[in-house]
Amino acid sequence: MDIRTAFITGASSGIGWSLAHRLSRAGVEVALLARRRDRLEALAEEIAHAGGKARIYEGDVGNAPESVATVQRADDEMGGLDLVVANAGVGNERWAGKLRWEDVEPSIAVNVAGAAATLTAVLPRMVERKRGHLVGVSSLAGFRGLPRSAAYSASKAFLSTFLESLRVDLRGTGVTVTDVQPGFVRTPMTAANRFKMPFLVDCEDAVGEIVQGIENGDAVVAFPAPLVAAVRAGRLLPNALYDRAVTKARGR
């Protein structure tokens, strides 16, 4: 793997935790950002015991200016970041008839502003160095609006479109952009879901897909295949049919 250094947000659990382990085993020095310092310290200790290198940066991705400063500091301290992964995300379920701004704001702060801040923090430096890789973890939920997921689906749709525009603009600069679009992945966040999650993917398998996509320089990494096919087909349905289908599948 032609990556020396990587910055990962949302590293205290789930995909971020597993991705940090996988990259460190490949010889990558990882910088870990999350709010829970105790979890970051535990992860860094595990990586060190396995012979890897990790730095921890405690902070809230939802604070965009702070996130920019933290990524830039890591870039300075680590001699330049080769890979930046905007993985941190939040989600909650709320029927639209009871939706309040307080329910929406965390998704905007973390999934939209925080992700964009993370991805652009050292982007001009990467372009100047003519190397670098930006990865954003969006979701198949961003393809169309899902029931009780207005804020989450919209935030992930933003991230996918943002990454696509970056990819188009950065063509030929030496900076690669990858949009990771997972379905349901077995993590602490999805453990709180009270609905059926079709084609649920184990976290380690999901990280395997992500790492392979990074190594290949793929524009989009979407999985699992059966759910990807269903979601893409769903985009072709007329609104009336789509509304009935997803309402029946999820209920109210």
Side-chain angles (χ1 to χ4, degrees), residues 8 11 15-25 28 30 32 43 47:
I8 305 169
I15 289 175
W17 180 286
S18 297
L19 180 60
H21 268 296
R22 186 73 65 94
L23 291 176
S24 68
R25 289 199 297 269
V28 179
V30 292
L32 314 170
L43 175 55
I47 289 173

Side-chain angles (χ1 to χ4, degrees), residues 233-252:
R235 298 185 79 169
L236 304 177
L237 289 177
N239 290 337
L241 289 178
Y242 175 78
D243 293 354
R244 285 199 295 271
V246 295
T247 300
K248 181 178 180 181
R250 293 284 291 273
R252 174 172 293 184

Side-chain angles (χ1 to χ4, degrees), residues 169-189:
D169 275 348
L170 296 171
R171 183 179 174 86
T173 66
V175 179
T176 304
V177 180
T178 298
D179 178 12
V180 177
Q181 300 173 350
F184 296 108
V185 179
R186 197 184 307 277
T187 65
M189 189 170 84

Side-chain angles (χ1 to χ4, degrees), residues 91-96 139-142 144-153 183-184 189-190 192-198 227 231 241-252:
N92 69 331
E93 281 207 306
R94 179 74 66 174
W95 176 55
S139 172
L140 293 178
R144 292 196 73 164
L146 296 176
R148 300 195 300 272
S149 302
Y152 185 75
S153 286
F184 296 108
M189 189 170 84
T190 59
N193 291 343
R194 294 294 177 262
F195 55 85
K196 184 178 179 181
M197 294 179 284
L227 190 56
V231 169
L241 289 178
Y242 175 78
D243 293 354
R244 285 199 295 271
V246 295
T247 300
K248 181 178 180 181
R250 293 284 291 273
R252 174 172 293 184

Side-chain angles (χ1 to χ4, degrees), residues 21-114:
H21 268 296
R22 186 73 65 94
L23 291 176
S24 68
R25 289 199 297 269
V28 179
E29 182 180 6
V30 292
L32 314 170
L33 175 64
R35 291 178 298 174
R36 295 179 289 178
R37 187 174 186 85
D38 59 332
R39 293 285 294 165
L40 291 178
E41 289 175 344
L43 175 55
E45 185 176 350
E46 288 184 7
I47 289 173
H49 283 173
K53 295 181 180 180
R55 300 171 185 246
I56 63 173
Y57 296 88
E58 181 183 2
D60 182 359
V61 173
N63 184 328
E66 179 183 292
S67 294
V68 169
T70 302
V71 178
Q72 290 176 347
R73 178 158 61 94
D75 191 67
D76 292 336
E77 294 174 349
M78 301 172 72
L81 292 168
D82 295 326
L83 173 67
V84 173
V85 182
N87 164 71
V90 297
N92 69 331
E93 281 207 306
R94 179 74 66 174
W95 176 55
K98 294 184 178 180
L99 194 65
R100 305 164 301 168
W101 168 243
E102 299 95 292
D103 305 313
V104 175
E105 194 275 336
S107 292
I108 303 301
V110 176
N111 302 355
V112 175

